Amino acid sequence: MNRIFLVIVLAAVLFAGWKQFSFQPAADLTSPMEALSTAMVESAAGAVDLAIGLVGVMTLFLGLMKVAEAGGMLVILARLIRPLMVRLFPEVPAEHPAMGAMILNLSANALGLGNAATPFGIRAMQELERLNTQPGTATNAMALFLAVNTSSVTLLPTGVIALRAAAGSADPAIILPTTLLATIGSTAVAIVAAKLYQRLVPMERSRATDSVKTSTVTDSGEASTLAAAEGAYPLWVSIVALVALASLIPGAILFGKALSPWILPGLMAGFLVFGAVRRVKVYEVFVDGAKEGFQVALRIIPYLVAILVAVGMLRASGAMDLLVGALSPVTGRFGLPAEALPMALMRPLSGSGAYGILASIINDPAIGPDSYTGVLVSTLQGSTETTFYVMAVYFGAVQVRRIRHAMAAALTADAAGVIFAVLACWLFLN
């Protein structure tokens, strides 16, 4: 991200400087360098205004998610997908801690609980490394787990919905069906790609014995959650749930516009009723979660300032217009406007960078959050993941240096996410 930020700023300064030399002063014209200076100040102020506007909405959603988490929704989802996971990862014993950690990681990602997903993901990698007969080399299970993570199995992209609401969207939750289709498609491709690529890069045979090692989870919170998720529902229950989830896609395409105004009120009422039925003190837990939302909204201010200033400079310099004009005739034919290209390229590299570009696009009066481009970039943010960050954190936690086919599978999932996001937005908005 350091290099990307530097390149964007230098490109803007150099391009504006080149235009400055040929600029002819006039009473009603602003020089390129003056426009660049103005864009820097206005973008920085706009980033802070955006973050402050985001505080309330982020607080609301994280409060609701805290109620769902306290009510055991994470454990319920984990038990639903467990029968499918044991078939996807046949080399991981069903009762090994690695399986439980992977299930909870994917369940947390599905609910948009990124803060909970990362610790479980690291725990899963550590447990998978204990099963590894070749320490330092990614196993098939590690590569598949990482590919599925980068495909971003997301059912509730709460952060993106909050940002869209702060940007003045008339229907912030319109991205739920498009995100669902995109994430199902990219996850399916991630699984197929990982299974195919592992045949091209087989692991070397090891003389080490394939003994199954277990470990003790030291964190009491993780231990209790892992223990609660140990059981599994019957396979037919998982299949029914998966079919029901997939059936939401055609239903959303046919009736989504009529139902979308009901989504946010329904989510709030549904989560609170769920918590109350599970005997959660919904008000107190909501307030606790809301406190986290306030802190999250404040923490992103420096990232938003950096990215929005860089993007604002690139636009003010004219370099962005040049790039859009060159690429739009090609990408536009495939449903990917050139304005959305920076988002598609940034997403695998930097989560904060992509978040800043998303904010810049949907807050642009010429685009807006409810246009095709606004919905597309929102879907991209909600249905793809920061591939290189995930890979660095998860593999770095267990010091894996030989990643084999993990990168190829993850990038294939990213590309699939873009394609399915375009397809979903085209189906839903046309």
Side-chain angles (χ1 to χ4, degrees):
M1 190 57 206
N2 294 323
R3 295 178 181 177
I4 295 173
F5 178 69
L6 181 61
V7 167
I8 292 175
V9 172
L10 290 181
V13 173
L14 292 175
F15 196 82
W18 174 73
K19 291 174 63 179
Q20 181 76 21
F21 287 111
S22 58
F23 175 72
Q24 298 295 328
D28 57 342
L29 293 179
T30 303
S31 71
M33 295 306 290
E34 288 176 344
L36 196 65
S37 300
T38 301
M40 291 173 61
V41 176
E42 291 180 349
S43 297
V48 176
D49 291 339
L50 173 63
I52 293 175
L54 190 59
V55 168
V57 187
M58 187 68 76
T59 297
L60 169 65
F61 278 103
L62 286 189
L64 289 175
M65 296 311 299
K66 192 71 173 181
V67 172
E69 185 181 7
M73 187 174 289
L74 184 64
V75 174
I76 292 173
L77 188 57
R79 289 177 174 175
L80 270 177
I81 67 174
R82 189 179 185 87
L84 303 175
M85 290 288 289
V86 295
R87 287 162 175 80
L88 281 178
F89 296 88
E91 61 269 45
V92 180
E95 301 305 321
H96 193 273
M99 182 63 72
M102 286 192 296
I103 290 171
L104 288 172
N105 166 265
L106 297 180
S107 300
N109 273 325
L111 294 177
L113 301 172
N115 291 335
T118 300
F120 285 127
I122 294 174
R123 172 66 62 186
M125 279 294 182
Q126 291 172 337
E127 297 298 340
L128 288 173
E129 180 66 7
R130 295 177 186 276
L131 296 172
N132 192 358
T133 59
Q134 297 182 34
T137 298
T139 63
N140 292 338
M142 287 179 175
L144 176 57
F145 175 63
L146 189 135
V148 172
N149 255 270
T150 57
S151 70
S152 187
V153 186
T154 307
L155 303 181
L156 294 174
T158 50
V160 182
I161 293 175
L163 186 60
R164 288 176 52 79
S169 172
D171 192 0
I174 196 175
I175 65 167
L176 281 178
T178 58
T179 300
L180 180 62
L181 175 56
T183 195
I184 289 177
S186 62
T187 301
V189 170
I191 293 171
V192 173
K195 293 290 186 180
L196 289 177
Y197 295 164
Q198 71 184 36
R199 299 181 181 181
L200 302 178
V201 192
M203 287 195 70
E204 299 176 359
R205 292 186 176 275
S206 174
R207 295 181 181 179
T209 57
D210 297 333
S211 59
V212 175
K213 303 176 184 178
T214 58
S215 65
T216 302
V217 181
T218 56
D219 183 86
S220 59
E222 288 186 18
S224 60
T225 309
L226 283 168
E230 280 300 311
Y233 297 121
L235 178 59
W236 68 269
V237 175
S238 300
I239 294 175
V240 169
L242 188 62
V243 171
L245 181 65
S247 67
L248 292 177
I249 296 175
I253 294 172
L254 294 174
F255 309 107
K257 293 183 179 179
L259 295 176
S260 59
W262 293 77
I263 292 177
L264 289 185
L267 282 176
M268 183 164 186
F271 280 10
L272 293 180
V273 170
F274 173 81
V277 171
R278 305 281 289 188
R279 299 185 178 182
V280 173
K281 296 180 179 179
V282 292
Y283 177 76
E284 297 176 11
V285 173
F286 178 90
V287 171
D288 287 339
K291 293 177 183 177
E292 296 179 14
F294 183 80
Q295 296 298 325
V296 169
L298 294 182
R299 281 200 301 267
I300 67 174
I301 290 180
Y303 300 98
L304 282 178
V305 169
I307 295 300
L308 291 185
V309 167
V311 173
M313 291 176 65
L314 198 64
R315 287 181 172 174
S317 69
M320 181 71 79
D321 293 335
L322 184 65
L323 181 64
V324 168
L327 296 178
S328 57
V330 178
T331 59
R333 297 178 183 178
F334 303 99
L336 182 63
E339 295 87 349
L341 274 177
M343 175 69 188
L345 296 175
M346 179 67 73
R347 188 66 178 108
L349 299 173
S350 169
S352 59
Y355 198 81
I357 290 178
L358 170 63
S360 175
I361 292 174
I362 64 177
N363 281 278
D364 186 344
I367 300 175
D370 296 326
S371 65
Y372 172 84
T373 301
V375 174
L376 176 59
V377 294
S378 301
T379 303
L380 286 173
Q381 177 74 14
S383 61
T384 53
E385 186 53 271
T386 313
T387 299
F388 292 93
Y389 169 80
V390 172
M391 188 169 295
V393 170
Y394 286 6
F395 281 161
V398 291
Q399 298 183 349
V400 167
R401 294 179 176 82
R402 185 169 180 261
I403 63 174
R404 297 176 62 227
H405 59 290
M407 176 73 76
L411 292 179
T412 301
D414 287 334
V418 174
I419 294 172
F420 278 101
V422 170
L423 176 62
C425 292
W426 182 83
L427 287 173
F428 189 72
L429 298 178
N430 289 296

